[in-house]
């Protein structure tokens, strides 16, 4: 495994940082968090101009056709700056399934519009059971007049309130515990039968409850093969888990940097607090968490690039990095003192994201179950 960055990857990371630092300052992050939509149209348009929406989209559909590992590096920079908005939900949760399973006509219809930033797409999969396995899919798609009628409720749907389309998983056959019988549908998010409600969360990350009532879809709106949607979902959820790890790695780096700067200036008991051994050891532990998190995330992303099995590595990465980010933010807040918990201090923003992102796509306990299953298979 060679994790040396190419010239293009170094340019991607440096250009992303040069853009995000001035365009996404923490004051703007706070402003967007408190807004009704949770994103800014002007920032979204600028990102589209940079080509970020089409980073992994093939050139045949007006994309740049870079690799998944390149996307992970970009997500790391976004996590470092706490970029709010629907980039993750559109590019990872919406675009990946279309690339993996869409027909040519579906790709021609949706991918160029994603590249231009004209539409946003998200994945509607989790349900009130709040797991990410087949037993969670109970929304029904019943055959009707050459198409289907969908009914049910989806939960924790990222940015559904500002998305034009949903990729909705629904059961077309089998029971609630079967991998077979799950079908993916491209659904108009503005259909009158869809009601979207933003759910209050600690991360202020615009997760939504989506109620689907008598929504009619045609055969042409099936994404991939009927009854075989789980094969696509597994790939999407693995990539999403690793992508979220990348954002958390960026967050860990930012926390280390701001706290290292703080302890070099803060005076207590007549001394710079960074001179105390306990503070130095705290920072050393943060650095260890950062390096470990980065390495296991990069390895998982590299395996996807190489077309290698990644279920175990993705679960290990998400279990470790999710908890490491929480440890780091708590320790950095401790080094800042009581002021670290105030709204004005940036480290507190990362702490709330750490709590939210640890749960995204399965918390550590869920990921450990996957690791245990993989060990039994081995």
């Amino acid at each position: 495994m060679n994790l040396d960055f190419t010239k293009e990857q170094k340019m991607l990371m440096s250009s992303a940082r040069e853009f995000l630092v001035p365009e996404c300052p923490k004051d703007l992050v706070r402003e967007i968090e408190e807004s009704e939509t949770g994103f800014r149209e002007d920032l979204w348009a600028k990102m589209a101009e940079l080509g970020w929406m089409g980073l992994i989209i093939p050139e045949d559909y007006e994309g740049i056709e870079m690799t998944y590992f390149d996307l992970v590096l970009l997500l790391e920079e976004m996590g470092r700056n706490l970029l709010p908005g629907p980039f993750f939900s559109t590019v990872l949760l919406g675009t990946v399934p279309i690339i993996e399973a869409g027909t040519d006509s579906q790709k021609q219809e949706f991918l160029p519009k994603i590249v231009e930033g004209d539409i946003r797409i998200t994945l509607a999969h989790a349900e009130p059971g709040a797991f990410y396995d087949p037993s969670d899919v109970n929304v029904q798609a019943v055959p009707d007049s050459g198409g289907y009628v969908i009914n049910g409720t989806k939960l924790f749907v990222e940015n559904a309130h500002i998305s034009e389309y949903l990729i909705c998983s629904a059961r077309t056959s089998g029971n609630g515990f079967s991998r077979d019988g799950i079908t993916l549908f491209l659904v108009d998010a503005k259909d009158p039968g869809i009601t979207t409600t933003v759910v209050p969360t600690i991360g202020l990350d615009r997760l939504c409850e989506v109620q689907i009532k008598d929504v009619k879809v045609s055969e042409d709106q099936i994404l991939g093969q009927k009854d075989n949607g789980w094969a696509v979902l597994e790939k999407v959820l693995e990539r999403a888990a690793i992508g979220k790890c990348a954002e958390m790695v960026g967050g860990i780096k930012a926390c280390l940097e701001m706290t290292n700067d703080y302890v070099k200036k803060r005076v207590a008991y007549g001394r710079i607090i960074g001179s105390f051994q306990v503070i130095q050891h705290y920072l050393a532990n943060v650095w260890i968490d950062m390096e470990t998190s980065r390495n296991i995330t990069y390895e998982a992303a590299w395996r996807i690039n190489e077309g290698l099995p990644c279920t175990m590595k993705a679960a290990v990465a998400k279990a470790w990095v999710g908890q490491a980010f929480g440890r780091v933010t708590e320790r950095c807040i401790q080094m800042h003192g009581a002021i670290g918990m105030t709204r004005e201090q940036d480290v507190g923003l990362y702490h709330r994201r750490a709590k939210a992102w640890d749960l995204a796509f399965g918390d550590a306990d869920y990921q450990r179950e996957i690791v245990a299953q993989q060990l039994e298979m081995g």
Side-chain angles (χ1 to χ4, degrees):
M1 178 178 66
N2 182 5
L3 292 181
D4 293 335
F5 296 142
T6 65
K7 179 181 179 181
E8 291 76 14
Q9 288 170 338
K10 291 177 182 177
M11 289 177 59
L12 175 64
M13 295 171 71
S14 63
S15 63
R17 194 169 303 177
E18 289 171 4
F19 173 80
L20 289 168
V21 169
E23 293 288 344
C24 189
K26 297 303 181 295
D27 287 344
L28 180 62
V29 171
R30 292 180 177 88
E31 177 185 328
I32 294 175
E33 281 186 340
E34 294 166 0
S35 70
E36 183 177 350
T37 60
F39 93 116
R40 285 272 295 269
E41 289 278 7
D42 57 338
L43 184 57
W44 182 257
K46 290 177 182 178
M47 290 161 55
E49 290 176 6
L50 291 170
W52 287 359
M53 314 309 181
L55 195 74
I56 59 172
I57 291 176
E59 292 180 355
D60 289 345
Y61 305 101
E62 302 182 17
I64 300 176
E65 201 167 347
M66 296 181 76
T67 69
Y68 177 76
F69 193 92
D70 298 325
L71 176 59
V72 161
L73 297 179
L74 178 58
L75 288 169
E76 183 179 320
E77 293 301 321
M78 291 179 172
R80 189 188 196 112
N81 291 274
L82 294 181
L83 174 71
F87 180 87
F88 192 100
S89 54
T90 293
V91 173
L92 251 171
L93 302 181
T95 302
V96 169
I98 296 174
I99 293 173
E100 289 287 330
T103 63
D104 184 64
S105 62
Q106 289 170 337
K107 292 175 182 178
Q108 291 285 1
E109 180 181 357
F110 291 101
L111 296 183
K113 294 177 183 177
I114 292 172
V115 172
E116 294 299 320
D118 293 337
I119 61 172
R120 292 172 287 273
I121 302 180
T122 190
L123 177 67
H125 172 57
E127 296 181 12
F131 294 101
Y132 293 95
D133 54 36
S135 65
D136 189 31
V137 181
N138 293 297
V139 166
Q140 299 291 315
V142 179
D144 180 74
S145 302
Y148 295 85
V149 175
I150 304 176
N151 281 282
T153 300
K154 294 294 184 178
L155 200 58
F156 307 134
V157 184
E158 292 190 29
N159 298 299
H161 65 304
I162 54 171
S163 295
E164 281 73 35
Y165 293 93
L166 308 174
I167 296 177
C168 179
S169 60
R171 189 161 292 284
T172 45
S173 66
N175 58 47
F177 297 94
S178 174
R179 288 171 175 258
D180 297 326
I182 297 171
T183 302
L184 300 181
F185 294 91
L186 281 160
V187 180
D188 183 354
K190 307 306 179 184
D191 188 286
I194 291 179
T195 303
T196 301
T197 305
V198 177
V199 179
T201 64
I202 191 172
L204 299 179
D205 45 358
R206 299 312 193 277
L207 302 181
C208 301
E209 179 186 76
V210 177
Q211 295 182 348
I212 306 169
K213 183 175 176 58
D214 296 332
V215 172
K216 295 183 179 181
V217 293
S218 67
E219 292 275 356
D220 293 340
Q221 289 173 263
I222 293 177
L223 186 62
Q225 297 179 343
K226 177 178 173 291
D227 292 338
N228 198 34
W230 183 250
V232 179
L233 282 170
E234 279 190 309
K235 291 182 179 180
V236 174
L237 295 175
E238 282 181 5
R239 284 157 176 74
I242 298 168
K244 193 57 67 177
C245 288
E247 288 187 318
M248 291 190 284
V249 168
I252 292 173
K253 287 183 177 181
C255 289
L256 175 60
E257 290 168 359
M258 73 176 70
T259 305
N260 191 36
D261 289 343
Y262 180 80
V263 301
K264 290 177 181 177
K265 301 172 184 176
R266 177 75 167 93
V267 176
Y269 306 108
R271 290 173 57 183
I272 297 292
I273 65 173
S275 66
F276 292 110
Q277 186 183 63
V278 65
I279 298 295
Q280 294 170 3
H281 285 189
Y282 283 171
L283 285 172
N285 285 335
V286 170
W287 190 89
I288 291 169
D289 270 335
M290 180 188 72
E291 282 296 291
T292 305
S293 298
R294 186 175 69 93
N295 288 337
I296 60 178
T297 298
Y298 285 3
E299 181 182 358
W302 173 82
R303 291 184 70 86
I304 286 179
N305 260 26
E306 297 297 310
L308 299 172
C310 194
T311 300
M312 169 80 87
K313 293 296 182 179
V316 169
K318 184 59 173 60
W320 171 269
V321 180
Q323 293 196 325
F325 193 21
R327 286 195 301 270
V328 164
T329 57
E330 289 174 5
R331 189 62 78 193
C332 288
I333 285 173
Q334 186 177 4
M335 284 185 275
H336 276 78
I339 196 173
M341 287 300 293
T342 62
R343 180 71 171 161
E344 290 73 21
Q345 284 293 317
D346 293 344
V347 69
L349 296 175
Y350 290 89
H351 181 59
R352 289 193 293 100
R353 296 294 179 93
K355 293 294 186 183
W357 291 351
D358 182 34
L359 298 174
F361 312 110
D363 63 6
D365 287 341
Y366 176 82
Q367 303 298 339
R368 289 188 184 102
E369 286 294 328
I370 295 176
V371 173
Q373 293 168 12
Q374 293 293 308
L375 288 171
E376 289 177 4
M377 290 173 65

